[in-house]
Coordinates of all heavy atoms in Angstrom, one line a residue:
M957 N 0.8 -1.2 0.0 CA 0.0 0.0 0.0 C 0.9 1.2 0.0 O 1.9 1.3 0.7 CB -0.9 0.0 1.2 CG -1.7 1.3 1.4 SD -2.9 1.3 2.7 CE -4.4 1.1 1.7
A958 N 0.4 2.2 -0.7 CA 1.2 3.5 -0.8 C 1.1 4.2 0.6 O 0.1 4.0 1.3 CB 0.6 4.4 -1.9
R959 N 2.1 5.1 0.8 CA 2.1 5.9 2.1 C 2.4 7.3 1.8 O 3.2 7.6 0.9 CB 3.2 5.3 3.0 CG 2.9 4.0 3.6 CD 4.0 3.6 4.6 NE 3.7 2.3 5.0 CZ 4.4 1.2 4.7 NH1 5.4 1.3 3.8 NH2 4.1 0.0 5.1
V960 N 1.7 8.2 2.5 CA 2.1 9.6 2.5 C 2.6 9.9 3.9 O 2.0 9.6 4.9 CB 0.8 10.5 2.3 CG1 1.1 11.9 2.5 CG2 0.3 10.2 0.9
V961 N 3.8 10.5 3.9 CA 4.5 10.8 5.2 C 4.5 12.3 5.4 O 5.0 13.0 4.5 CB 5.9 10.2 5.3 CG1 6.6 10.6 6.6 CG2 5.9 8.7 5.1
A962 N 4.0 12.8 6.5 CA 4.1 14.2 6.8 C 5.0 14.3 8.1 O 4.7 13.8 9.1 CB 2.6 14.7 7.2
A963 N 6.0 15.1 7.9 CA 6.9 15.4 9.0 C 6.6 16.8 9.5 O 6.7 17.8 8.8 CB 8.4 15.4 8.5
I964 N 6.1 16.8 10.8 CA 5.6 18.0 11.4 C 6.5 18.6 12.4 O 7.0 17.9 13.3 CB 4.2 17.7 12.0 CG1 3.2 17.0 11.1 CG2 3.6 19.0 12.7 CD1 2.8 17.9 9.9
D965 N 6.7 19.9 12.3 CA 7.5 20.6 13.4 C 6.5 21.2 14.4 O 5.9 22.3 14.1 CB 8.3 21.8 12.7 CG 9.1 22.6 13.8 OD1 9.1 22.2 15.0 OD2 9.7 23.6 13.4
V966 N 6.3 20.5 15.5 CA 5.2 20.9 16.4 C 5.7 22.1 17.2 O 4.8 22.8 17.9 CB 4.8 19.8 17.3 CG1 4.2 18.7 16.5 CG2 5.9 19.3 18.2
L967 N 7.0 22.5 17.3 CA 7.4 23.6 18.0 C 7.5 24.9 17.2 O 7.8 25.9 17.6 CB 8.8 23.3 18.7 CG 8.8 22.2 19.7 CD1 10.2 21.9 20.2 CD2 7.8 22.4 20.8
G968 N 7.2 24.7 15.9 CA 7.2 25.8 15.0 C 5.8 26.5 14.8 O 5.0 26.4 15.7
D969 N 5.6 27.0 13.7 CA 4.3 27.7 13.4 C 3.1 26.7 13.3 O 3.1 25.8 12.5 CB 4.4 28.4 12.1 CG 3.2 29.3 11.8 OD1 2.1 28.8 11.9 OD2 3.4 30.5 11.4
A970 N 2.2 26.8 14.2 CA 1.1 25.8 14.3 C 0.2 25.9 13.1 O -0.4 24.9 12.6 CB 0.2 26.1 15.6
D971 N 0.0 27.1 12.5 CA -0.8 27.2 11.3 C -0.2 26.4 10.1 O -0.9 25.8 9.4 CB -1.0 28.7 10.9 CG -1.9 29.4 11.8 OD1 -2.8 28.7 12.5 OD2 -1.8 30.6 12.0
I972 N 1.1 26.5 10.0 CA 1.8 25.8 8.9 C 1.7 24.3 9.2 O 1.4 23.5 8.2 CB 3.3 26.2 8.8 CG1 3.4 27.6 8.3 CG2 4.0 25.2 7.9 CD1 4.8 28.2 8.3
A973 N 1.8 23.9 10.4 CA 1.7 22.4 10.7 C 0.3 21.9 10.4 O 0.1 20.8 9.8 CB 2.0 22.2 12.2
R974 N -0.8 22.7 10.7 CA -2.1 22.3 10.4 C -2.4 22.2 8.9 O -3.0 21.3 8.4 CB -3.1 23.2 11.1 CG -3.4 22.9 12.6 CD -4.5 23.7 13.1 NE -4.2 25.1 13.3 CZ -3.6 25.7 14.3 NH1 -3.1 24.9 15.2 NH2 -3.4 27.0 14.3
K975 N -1.8 23.2 8.2 CA -2.0 23.2 6.7 C -1.3 21.9 6.1 O -1.8 21.3 5.2 CB -1.4 24.5 6.1 CG -2.3 25.7 6.4 CD -1.6 26.9 5.8 CE -2.4 28.1 6.2 NZ -1.8 29.4 5.8
E976 N -0.1 21.6 6.6 CA 0.6 20.5 6.1 C -0.2 19.2 6.4 O -0.3 18.3 5.6 CB 2.0 20.4 6.8 CG 2.8 19.2 6.3 CD 4.2 19.1 6.9 OE1 4.6 20.0 7.7 OE2 4.8 18.1 6.6
L977 N -0.7 19.1 7.6 CA -1.6 17.9 7.9 C -2.8 17.8 7.0 O -3.1 16.7 6.6 CB -2.0 18.0 9.4 CG -1.0 17.5 10.4 CD1 -1.5 17.8 11.8 CD2 -0.7 16.1 10.3
R978 N -3.5 18.9 6.8 CA -4.7 18.9 5.9 C -4.3 18.4 4.5 O -4.9 17.6 3.9 CB -5.3 20.2 5.9 CG -6.3 20.5 7.1 CD -7.2 21.7 6.9 NE -6.5 22.9 6.6 CZ -6.1 23.8 7.5 NH1 -6.2 23.5 8.8 NH2 -5.5 24.9 7.1
L979 N -3.2 19.0 4.0 CA -2.8 18.7 2.6 C -2.4 17.2 2.6 O -2.7 16.5 1.6 CB -1.6 19.6 2.2 CG -1.0 19.4 0.8 CD1 -2.1 19.6 -0.2 CD2 0.2 20.3 0.6
S980 N -1.6 16.8 3.5 CA -1.2 15.4 3.6 C -2.3 14.4 3.6 O -2.4 13.4 3.0 CB -0.2 15.1 4.7 OG 0.9 15.9 4.6
A981 N -3.3 14.7 4.5 CA -4.5 13.9 4.6 C -5.3 13.9 3.3 O -5.8 12.8 2.9 CB -5.4 14.4 5.7
D982 N -5.4 15.0 2.6 CA -6.1 15.1 1.3 C -5.4 14.2 0.3 O -6.0 13.5 -0.5 CB -6.2 16.5 0.8 CG -7.2 17.4 1.6 OD1 -8.0 16.8 2.4 OD2 -7.1 18.6 1.5
I983 N -4.1 14.3 0.2 CA -3.3 13.5 -0.7 C -3.5 12.0 -0.4 O -3.7 11.2 -1.3 CB -1.8 13.9 -0.7 CG1 -1.7 15.4 -1.3 CG2 -1.0 13.0 -1.5 CD1 -0.3 16.0 -1.1
A984 N -3.4 11.7 0.8 CA -3.5 10.3 1.2 C -4.9 9.7 0.8 O -5.0 8.6 0.3 CB -3.3 10.1 2.7
T985 N -5.9 10.6 1.0 CA -7.3 10.2 0.7 C -7.4 10.0 -0.8 O -8.0 9.0 -1.3 CB -8.3 11.2 1.2 OG1 -8.2 11.3 2.6 CG2 -9.7 10.8 0.8
L986 N -6.9 11.0 -1.6 CA -7.0 10.9 -3.0 C -6.3 9.7 -3.6 O -6.7 9.2 -4.7 CB -6.5 12.2 -3.7 CG -7.4 13.4 -3.5 CD1 -6.7 14.7 -3.9 CD2 -8.7 13.3 -4.2
Q987 N -5.2 9.4 -3.0 CA -4.3 8.3 -3.5 C -4.7 6.9 -2.9 O -4.1 5.9 -3.3 CB -2.9 8.6 -3.3 CG -2.4 9.8 -4.0 CD -2.4 9.7 -5.5 OE1 -2.1 8.6 -6.0 NE2 -2.9 10.7 -6.2
G988 N -5.6 6.9 -2.0 CA -5.9 5.6 -1.3 C -4.7 5.1 -0.5 O -4.5 3.9 -0.4
A989 N -4.0 6.1 0.1 CA -2.7 5.7 0.8 C -2.9 5.8 2.3 O -3.8 6.5 2.8 CB -1.6 6.7 0.3
E990 N -2.0 5.2 3.0 CA -1.9 5.4 4.4 C -1.2 6.7 4.8 O -0.3 7.1 4.1 CB -1.0 4.3 5.1 CG -1.6 2.9 5.1 CD -0.7 1.9 5.8 OE1 0.5 2.1 5.8 OE2 -1.2 0.9 6.3
L991 N -1.7 7.4 5.8 CA -1.1 8.6 6.2 C -0.3 8.3 7.4 O -0.7 7.7 8.4 CB -2.2 9.7 6.6 CG -1.7 11.0 7.2 CD1 -0.7 11.7 6.2 CD2 -2.8 11.9 7.5
H992 N 1.0 8.7 7.4 CA 2.0 8.5 8.5 C 2.4 9.9 8.9 O 2.9 10.7 8.0 CB 3.2 7.6 8.1 CG 2.8 6.2 7.9 ND1 3.2 5.2 8.7 CD2 2.0 5.6 6.9 CE1 2.8 4.1 8.3 NE2 2.0 4.3 7.2
V993 N 2.3 10.2 10.1 CA 2.7 11.6 10.6 C 3.7 11.4 11.7 O 3.6 10.6 12.6 CB 1.4 12.3 11.2 CG1 1.8 13.7 11.6 CG2 0.2 12.2 10.3
I994 N 4.8 12.1 11.5 CA 6.0 12.0 12.4 C 6.4 13.4 12.9 O 6.1 14.4 12.2 CB 7.2 11.3 11.8 CG1 7.8 12.1 10.6 CG2 6.9 9.9 11.4 CD1 9.1 11.6 10.1
T995 N 7.0 13.5 14.0 CA 7.6 14.7 14.5 C 8.9 14.2 15.3 O 9.0 13.0 15.6 CB 6.7 15.5 15.4 OG1 7.3 16.8 15.6 CG2 6.4 14.9 16.8
V996 N 9.8 15.2 15.6 CA 11.0 14.8 16.3 C 11.1 15.7 17.5 O 11.0 16.9 17.4 CB 12.2 15.0 15.3 CG1 13.5 14.7 16.1 CG2 12.1 14.2 14.1
A997 N 11.4 15.0 18.6 CA 11.8 15.7 19.9 C 13.3 15.7 19.9 O 13.9 14.6 20.0 CB 11.2 15.0 21.1
T998 N 13.9 16.9 19.8 CA 15.3 16.9 19.8 C 16.0 16.5 21.1 O 15.4 16.7 22.2 CB 15.8 18.3 19.4 OG1 17.3 18.3 19.3 CG2 15.5 19.4 20.5
T999 N 17.0 15.8 21.0 CA 17.8 15.4 22.2 C 19.1 16.2 22.4 O 19.8 16.0 23.3 CB 18.1 13.9 22.2 OG1 18.8 13.6 21.0 CG2 16.8 13.0 22.3
D1000 N 19.3 17.1 21.4 CA 20.5 17.9 21.4 C 20.1 19.3 21.9 O 19.9 20.2 21.1 CB 21.1 17.9 20.0 CG 22.4 18.7 20.0 OD1 23.1 18.8 21.0 OD2 22.8 19.2 18.9
L1001 N 20.0 19.5 23.2 CA 19.5 20.7 23.7 C 20.6 21.5 24.5 O 21.5 20.9 25.1 CB 18.4 20.4 24.8 CG 17.2 19.7 24.2 CD1 16.3 19.3 25.4 CD2 16.4 20.6 23.3
W1002 N 20.5 22.8 24.3 CA 21.3 23.6 25.2 C 20.5 23.8 26.4 O 19.4 24.4 26.4 CB 21.6 25.0 24.6 CG 22.5 25.8 25.5 CD1 23.8 25.7 25.6 CD2 22.0 26.9 26.3 NE1 24.2 26.6 26.6 CE2 23.2 27.3 27.0 CE3 20.8 27.4 26.6 CZ2 23.1 28.4 27.9 CZ3 20.8 28.4 27.5 CH2 21.9 28.9 28.1
L1003 N 20.9 23.3 27.6 CA 20.1 23.2 28.7 C 20.5 24.1 29.8 O 21.7 24.4 30.0 CB 20.0 21.8 29.3 CG 19.6 20.7 28.2 CD1 19.8 19.3 28.7 CD2 18.1 20.9 27.9
D1004 N 19.5 24.6 30.6 CA 19.8 25.5 31.7 C 20.2 24.6 32.9 O 19.5 23.7 33.3 CB 18.5 26.2 32.1 CG 18.7 27.2 33.2 OD1 19.6 27.0 34.1 OD2 18.0 28.3 33.1
S1005 N 21.4 24.8 33.4 CA 22.0 23.9 34.4 C 21.2 23.9 35.7 O 21.3 23.1 36.6 CB 23.4 24.3 34.7 OG 23.5 25.6 35.2
R1006 N 20.3 24.9 35.9 CA 19.5 25.0 37.1 C 18.5 23.8 37.2 O 18.1 23.4 38.2 CB 18.7 26.3 37.2 CG 19.6 27.5 37.4 CD 18.8 28.8 37.4 NE 18.2 28.9 36.1 CZ 17.3 29.8 35.8 NH1 16.8 30.6 36.7 NH2 16.9 29.9 34.5
F1007 N 18.1 23.4 36.0 CA 17.1 22.3 36.0 C 17.7 20.9 35.7 O 17.0 19.9 36.0 CB 16.1 22.6 34.9 CG 15.4 23.9 35.1 CD1 15.7 25.0 34.3 CD2 14.5 24.1 36.1 CE1 15.0 26.2 34.4 CE2 13.8 25.3 36.3 CZ 14.1 26.3 35.5
G1008 N 18.9 20.9 35.2 CA 19.5 19.6 35.0 C 19.1 19.1 33.6 O 18.0 19.3 33.2
A1009 N 20.0 18.4 32.9 CA 19.7 17.9 31.6 C 18.6 17.0 31.5 O 17.7 17.1 30.6 CB 21.0 17.2 31.0
E1010 N 18.4 16.0 32.4 CA 17.4 15.1 32.4 C 16.0 15.7 32.5 O 15.1 15.5 31.8 CB 17.5 14.0 33.4 CG 16.5 12.9 33.3 CD 16.8 11.7 34.2 OE1 17.9 11.5 34.6 OE2 15.8 11.1 34.6
S1011 N 15.9 16.6 33.5 CA 14.6 17.3 33.7 C 14.2 18.2 32.5 O 13.1 18.1 32.1 CB 14.8 18.2 34.9 OG 13.6 19.0 35.1
A1012 N 15.1 18.9 31.9 CA 14.8 19.8 30.8 C 14.5 18.9 29.6 O 13.5 19.2 28.8 CB 16.0 20.7 30.4
G1013 N 15.2 17.8 29.3 CA 14.9 16.9 28.2 C 13.5 16.3 28.3 O 12.8 16.2 27.4
T1014 N 13.2 15.9 29.5 CA 11.9 15.3 29.8 C 10.8 16.4 29.5 O 9.7 16.1 28.9 CB 11.7 14.8 31.3 OG1 12.7 13.8 31.4 CG2 10.4 14.3 31.6
R1015 N 11.0 17.6 29.9 CA 10.0 18.7 29.7 C 9.8 18.9 28.2 O 8.7 19.1 27.7 CB 10.4 20.0 30.4 CG 10.2 19.9 31.9 CD 10.2 21.3 32.5 NE 11.2 22.2 32.0 CZ 12.5 22.3 32.4 NH1 12.9 21.6 33.4 NH2 13.3 23.2 31.9
V1016 N 10.9 18.9 27.4 CA 10.8 19.2 26.0 C 10.1 18.0 25.3 O 9.2 18.3 24.5 CB 12.2 19.3 25.4 CG1 12.2 19.3 23.9 CG2 12.9 20.6 25.9
R1017 N 10.4 16.8 25.7 CA 9.7 15.6 25.1 C 8.2 15.7 25.4 O 7.4 15.4 24.6 CB 10.3 14.3 25.5 CG 11.7 14.1 24.8 CD 12.2 12.7 25.1 NE 12.6 12.5 26.5 CZ 13.8 12.9 27.0 NH1 14.6 13.5 26.2 NH2 14.1 12.7 28.2
S1018 N 7.9 16.0 26.6 CA 6.4 16.2 27.0 C 5.7 17.2 26.2 O 4.6 17.0 25.8 CB 6.3 16.5 28.5 OG 6.6 15.4 29.3
E1019 N 6.4 18.4 26.1 CA 5.8 19.5 25.3 C 5.6 19.1 23.8 O 4.5 19.3 23.3 CB 6.7 20.7 25.4 CG 6.2 21.9 24.6 CD 5.1 22.6 25.3 OE1 4.9 22.4 26.5 OE2 4.5 23.4 24.6
V1020 N 6.6 18.4 23.2 CA 6.4 17.9 21.9 C 5.2 17.0 21.7 O 4.4 17.1 20.8 CB 7.7 17.3 21.4 CG1 7.5 16.5 20.1 CG2 8.8 18.4 21.2
K1021 N 5.2 16.0 22.6 CA 4.1 15.0 22.6 C 2.7 15.7 22.8 O 1.8 15.3 22.1 CB 4.3 13.9 23.6 CG 5.5 13.0 23.3 CD 5.7 12.0 24.3 CE 6.9 11.1 23.9 NZ 7.2 10.1 25.0
E1022 N 2.6 16.6 23.7 CA 1.3 17.3 23.9 C 0.9 18.1 22.7 O -0.3 18.0 22.3 CB 1.4 18.2 25.1 CG 1.5 17.5 26.4 CD 1.7 18.5 27.6 OE1 1.4 19.7 27.5 OE2 2.2 18.0 28.7
R1023 N 1.8 18.9 22.1 CA 1.5 19.7 20.9 C 1.1 18.8 19.7 O 0.3 19.1 19.0 CB 2.6 20.6 20.6 CG 2.8 21.7 21.5 CD 3.9 22.7 21.1 NE 4.1 23.7 22.1 CZ 4.7 24.9 21.8 NH1 5.1 25.1 20.5 NH2 4.9 25.8 22.7
F1024 N 1.9 17.7 19.6 CA 1.6 16.7 18.5 C 0.2 16.1 18.6 O -0.5 16.1 17.7 CB 2.7 15.6 18.6 CG 2.8 14.8 17.3 CD1 2.7 15.3 16.1 CD2 3.0 13.4 17.4 CE1 2.9 14.5 14.9 CE2 3.1 12.6 16.3 CZ 3.0 13.2 15.0
A1025 N -0.2 15.7 19.8 CA -1.5 15.2 20.1 C -2.6 16.2 19.7 O -3.6 15.9 19.1 CB -1.6 14.7 21.5
L1026 N -2.4 17.5 20.1 CA -3.4 18.5 19.8 C -3.5 18.7 18.3 O -4.6 18.9 17.8 CB -3.0 19.8 20.5 CG -3.2 19.9 22.0 CD1 -2.6 21.2 22.5 CD2 -4.6 19.8 22.3
L1027 N -2.4 18.7 17.6 CA -2.4 18.9 16.1 C -3.1 17.7 15.5 O -3.9 17.9 14.5 CB -1.0 19.0 15.5 CG -0.4 20.4 15.7 CD1 1.1 20.4 15.3 CD2 -1.1 21.4 14.9
L1028 N -2.9 16.5 16.0 CA -3.5 15.3 15.4 C -5.0 15.2 15.6 O -5.7 14.5 14.8 CB -2.8 14.0 15.9 CG -1.4 13.8 15.5 CD1 -0.7 12.7 16.2 CD2 -1.3 13.6 14.0
E1029 N -5.5 16.0 16.5 CA -7.0 16.0 16.7 C -7.7 16.5 15.5 O -8.9 16.2 15.3 CB -7.3 16.8 17.9 CG -7.0 16.2 19.3 CD -7.3 17.1 20.4 OE1 -7.8 18.2 20.2 OE2 -7.1 16.7 21.6
S1030 N -7.0 17.3 14.7 CA -7.7 17.9 13.5 C -7.6 17.0 12.3 O -8.2 17.3 11.3 CB -7.0 19.2 13.1 OG -5.6 19.0 12.7
V1031 N -7.0 15.8 12.4 CA -6.9 14.9 11.2 C -8.1 14.1 11.2 O -8.4 13.4 12.1 CB -5.6 14.0 11.3 CG1 -5.5 13.1 10.2 CG2 -4.3 14.9 11.4
A1032 N -8.8 14.1 10.0 CA -10.1 13.4 9.9 C -10.0 12.1 9.2 O -11.0 11.5 8.9 CB -11.1 14.3 9.2
V1033 N -8.8 11.6 8.9 CA -8.6 10.3 8.3 C -7.8 9.4 9.2 O -7.0 9.9 10.0 CB -8.0 10.5 6.9 CG1 -8.8 11.3 5.9 CG2 -6.6 11.0 7.0
P1034 N -7.8 8.1 9.0 CA -7.0 7.3 9.8 C -5.5 7.6 9.5 O -5.1 7.9 8.4 CB -7.3 5.9 9.3 CG -8.6 6.0 8.6 CD -8.7 7.4 8.1
Y1035 N -4.7 7.5 10.5 CA -3.3 7.8 10.4 C -2.5 6.9 11.4 O -3.0 6.4 12.4 CB -3.0 9.3 10.6 CG -3.4 9.7 12.0 CD1 -2.5 9.6 13.1 CD2 -4.6 10.3 12.3 CE1 -2.8 10.0 14.4 CE2 -5.0 10.7 13.5 CZ -4.1 10.5 14.6 OH -4.4 10.9 15.8
V1036 N -1.2 6.9 11.1 CA -0.2 6.3 12.0 C 0.7 7.4 12.5 O 1.2 8.2 11.6 CB 0.6 5.2 11.3 CG1 1.7 4.6 12.2 CG2 -0.3 4.1 10.8
S1037 N 1.0 7.5 13.8 CA 1.8 8.6 14.2 C 3.0 8.1 15.0 O 2.9 7.0 15.6 CB 1.0 9.6 15.1 OG 0.6 9.1 16.3
K1038 N 4.0 8.9 15.1 CA 5.2 8.5 15.8 C 6.0 9.8 16.2 O 6.2 10.7 15.4 CB 6.1 7.6 14.9 CG 7.4 7.2 15.5 CD 7.2 5.9 16.2 CE 8.6 5.4 16.7 NZ 8.5 4.3 17.6
V1039 N 6.5 9.8 17.4 CA 7.4 10.8 17.9 C 8.8 10.2 18.0 O 9.0 9.2 18.7 CB 7.0 11.3 19.3 CG1 8.0 12.4 19.8 CG2 5.6 11.9 19.3
L1040 N 9.7 10.7 17.1 CA 11.0 10.2 17.1 C 11.9 11.1 18.0 O 11.5 12.2 18.3 CB 11.6 10.3 15.7 CG 10.7 9.6 14.6 CD1 11.3 9.9 13.2 CD2 10.7 8.1 14.9
E1041 N 13.0 10.6 18.4 CA 14.0 11.4 19.2 C 15.3 11.5 18.5 O 15.7 10.5 17.9 CB 14.1 10.8 20.6 CG 12.9 10.9 21.5 CD 13.2 10.6 22.9 OE1 14.3 10.7 23.4 OE2 12.2 10.3 23.6
G1042 N 15.9 12.7 18.5 CA 17.1 12.9 17.8 C 17.3 14.3 17.3 O 16.7 15.2 17.9
D1043 N 18.0 14.5 16.3 CA 18.3 15.8 15.7 C 17.4 15.9 14.4 O 17.7 15.2 13.4 CB 19.8 15.9 15.4 CG 20.1 17.3 14.8 OD1 19.3 18.2 14.9 OD2 21.3 17.5 14.4
P1044 N 16.4 16.8 14.5 CA 15.5 16.9 13.3 C 16.3 17.3 12.0 O 16.0 17.0 11.0 CB 14.5 18.0 13.7 CG 14.7 18.2 15.1 CD 16.0 17.7 15.5

């Protein structure tokens, strides 16, 4: 089966992310393809030493996952989603 992959920057402009999701969903529907939506939570952070690396990294990953979930609420077609970790 064909796939359409949308890579979303959830920490960037939310309007652009929503437009990308809508366009990707439309293309997947027109092509009879599976929609796969991914985002990346960076693990290469410049961190504030007051909070410690682990604490700040956990906060960033939580923020990315929360924003990703909110954006995905607007997708009206079946999809597969994944939050990757690394350097986008």
